[in-house]
Amino acid sequence: MRKNYLLTPGPTPLPPQVLEAMSRPIIHHRTPQFQAILKEAMEGLKYVFQTAGDVFILASSGTGAMEAAVVNLLSSHDTALCVQGGKFGERWGELCKAYGISAQILDVAWGSAVSPEEIKKRLAADPKIKVVFTTLCETSTGVVNDIEAIGRVVKDTQAVLVVDAISGLGAIDLKTDAWACDMVISGSQKGLMLPPGLGFISSSPKAWKLIEASKSPRYYFDLRKAKKAAEKTDTPFTPAINLIIALNEVLKMIKLDGLEKIFVRHKKMADAMRAAMKALGLELFSADASSDVVTAAKVPVEIDGEKLVKTMRDAYGVTIAGGQAELKSKVIRIAHMGFIEEFDVIAGISCLEKVLTQMGYKFTLGQGVKAADEVFLK
Ligand SMILES: *Cc1c(COP(=O)(O)O)cnc(C)c1O
């Protein structure tokens, strides 16, 4: 018997209200009963996305919603600018390539946030750019980008701004309308505390013009179908019924707490985690743009990063993430988003200290937990 602590940047732990909702008997989706639930979910999503516009619910993982953005906004031979500062930024370029879209890559050093000025320059240099693809929190590096500033530079250009907020929405601030984000993408299994399986996508009037003009082949992910159905509080295909029922529970919880309070809680957990890493002598992977939802820290050179993650999971039931691609075994990533609280953070740090000690890393045991507790006590 083992209690599991899930501290990965997706999936994240599920609140009891979600588990309960997921276990209810299924109902049919073309019923007044489900329609009332869908209506509530659609309204609640507007609050979380901070938008007055539509938020469509797709039965897919987050990447499905990313693909929906690409095929609905662009046609083959169109030009897009893809901000690429990690594995998830790269996904925008790969999706464009799959549909014959000319992707201009804005390469950002892994661990750094993109410079809005750089986006401005690229847009001025190439008026053919129709879409700028960005990421709120680049989960592979822990970096958070300044979407508000990016919104300011894209707003008055011909281009549409798309933000992958799969990691971070509902946990850190993202004002879809006020920051001029034309399309915001999210998924269910990160800040939104649900199992994987739902994709979300918002759309501004500026984005909608491109959606109507796109000649890309699309069927399941055709947002014109989604909009037509949404107008009648319906979905074009069978929705993920139980996930949407659970989504309603989450939306109720988020509304009850209020977004502002939730953002403050995440900032505090991140501050505590960053303080702990510093106290343990583990350098943050991003010096100045570390997000409030996932902390990436460099593994000391003498320590095998993959073994560290594996031992924490297999010997103690504490699951964190290692590095992806070029960061494999070089960083650890600990998430603190969604249904995670102070003592989950403490458990993660405590386990990290224990295993680091066993692996021969030299530091004063307890320093990390102490530093985190000092932040929590403030
Ligand atoms: C998790 C994640 C994705 C991928 O989402 P899936 O649900 O696995 O398809 C994309 N972008 C970011 C920033 C993520 O964190």
Side-chain angles (χ1 to χ4, degrees):
M1 201 185 89
R2 158 147 312 137
K3 182 160 179 177
N4 284 306
Y5 295 85
L6 190 58
L7 298 174
T8 54
T12 59
L14 307 177
Q17 292 93 322
V18 166
L19 293 172
E20 181 276 318
M22 290 298 295
S23 69
R24 288 180 210 163
I26 193 156
I27 57 172
H28 195 272
H29 52 295
R30 315 280 187 214
T31 55
Q33 201 185 355
F34 182 71
Q35 201 174 34
I37 291 165
L38 185 61
K39 188 169 191 291
E40 212 178 311
M42 285 160 69
E43 283 306 315
L45 282 172
K46 287 182 189 190
Y47 171 71
V48 177
F49 274 69
Q50 304 187 61
T51 182
D54 287 324
V55 181
F56 302 112
I57 306 171
L58 307 173
S60 74
S61 84
T63 306
M66 291 172 77
E67 181 152 346
V70 171
V71 295
N72 280 279
L73 293 171
L74 296 159
S75 317
S76 65
H77 307 301
D78 277 349
T79 304
L81 180 65
C82 301
V83 174
Q84 202 164 279
K87 203 173 171 321
F88 292 107
E90 282 175 358
R91 193 159 295 178
W92 284 127
E94 289 163 9
L95 277 161
C96 286
K97 203 169 153 219
Y99 285 95
I101 291 150
S102 159
Q104 294 210 8
I105 305 301
L106 200 173
D107 252 319
V108 180
W110 286 35
S112 297
V114 66
S115 143
E117 260 321 292
E118 202 54 47
I119 294 177
K120 191 176 175 177
K121 271 191 217 152
R122 298 287 288 261
L123 282 171
D126 190 348
K128 286 202 307 299
I129 295 171
K130 281 190 174 175
V131 176
V132 178
F133 289 110
T134 61
T135 315
L136 172 64
C137 169
E138 173 51 72
T139 314
S140 61
T141 61
V143 163
V144 65
N145 283 304
D146 187 349
I147 301 298
E148 185 177 10
I150 296 170
R152 271 199 297 269
V153 307
V154 178
K155 194 178 167 196
D156 298 318
T157 69
Q158 74 288 353
V160 151
L161 174 61
V162 178
V163 183
D164 165 2
I166 293 172
S167 166
L169 192 93
I172 53 179
D173 202 9
L174 179 65
K175 295 182 176 26
T176 300
D177 290 355
W179 295 357
C181 304
D182 294 298
M183 203 172 248
V184 171
I185 312 291
S186 200
S188 49
Q189 78 277 25
K190 304 199 178 175
L192 295 176
M193 308 176 271
L194 292 159
L198 291 180
F200 306 105
I201 186 162
S202 74
S203 158
S204 73
K206 189 178 177 187
W208 203 259
K209 284 200 187 118
L210 287 190
I211 293 172
E212 280 174 344
S214 161
K215 292 185 199 69
S216 284
R218 50 195 147 146
Y219 188 87
Y220 185 70
F221 287 134
D222 190 340
L223 292 181
R224 294 167 301 185
K225 283 197 193 96
K227 189 179 172 68
K228 225 169 135 186
E231 278 160 7
K232 295 175 285 172
T233 320
D234 203 351
T235 55
F237 312 106
T238 308
I241 298 166
N242 288 56
L243 280 171
I244 292 175
I245 291 171
L247 168 65
N248 260 357
E249 293 304 319
V250 161
L251 293 170
K252 264 184 240 162
M253 288 166 61
I254 291 177
K255 264 214 166 134
L256 209 61
D257 264 1
L259 284 176
E260 281 312 318
K261 197 172 145 197
I262 293 171
F263 301 154
V264 169
R265 181 168 63 82
H266 281 84
K267 167 136 195 346
K268 194 144 199 186
M269 290 193 294
D271 283 342
M273 187 60 79
R274 290 188 282 253
M277 293 302 159
K278 191 167 171 231
L280 296 178
L282 303 191
E283 198 187 330
L284 293 182
F285 185 68
S286 173
D288 51 9
S290 197
S291 78
D292 287 347
V293 282
V294 55
T295 299
K298 293 181 188 168
V299 174
V301 280
E302 67 272 31
I303 298 294
D304 176 344
E306 278 183 80
K307 191 173 166 203
L308 170 63
V309 172
K310 192 176 180 306
T311 308
M312 286 178 68
R313 183 191 63 218
D314 296 346
Y316 297 103
V318 177
T319 308
I320 65 167
Q324 294 165 288
E326 64 192 62
L327 295 181
K328 199 172 157 83
S329 95
K330 293 190 184 127
V331 300
I332 49 168
R333 294 175 301 140
I334 310 184
H336 25 80
M337 74 173 128
F339 191 59
I340 297 229
E341 291 183 347
E342 187 170 327
F343 286 102
D344 301 304
V345 171
I346 293 294
I349 298 165
S350 164
C351 182
L352 175 65
E353 290 194 32
K354 201 168 275 171
V355 177
L356 280 172
T357 302
Q358 288 168 336
M359 291 176 81
Y361 178 62
K362 294 279 176 285
F363 69 104
T364 312
L365 187 66
Q367 283 300 325
V369 168
K370 179 168 180 283
D373 269 335
E374 278 164 2
V375 171
F376 284 128
L377 278 169
K378 255 188 233 156

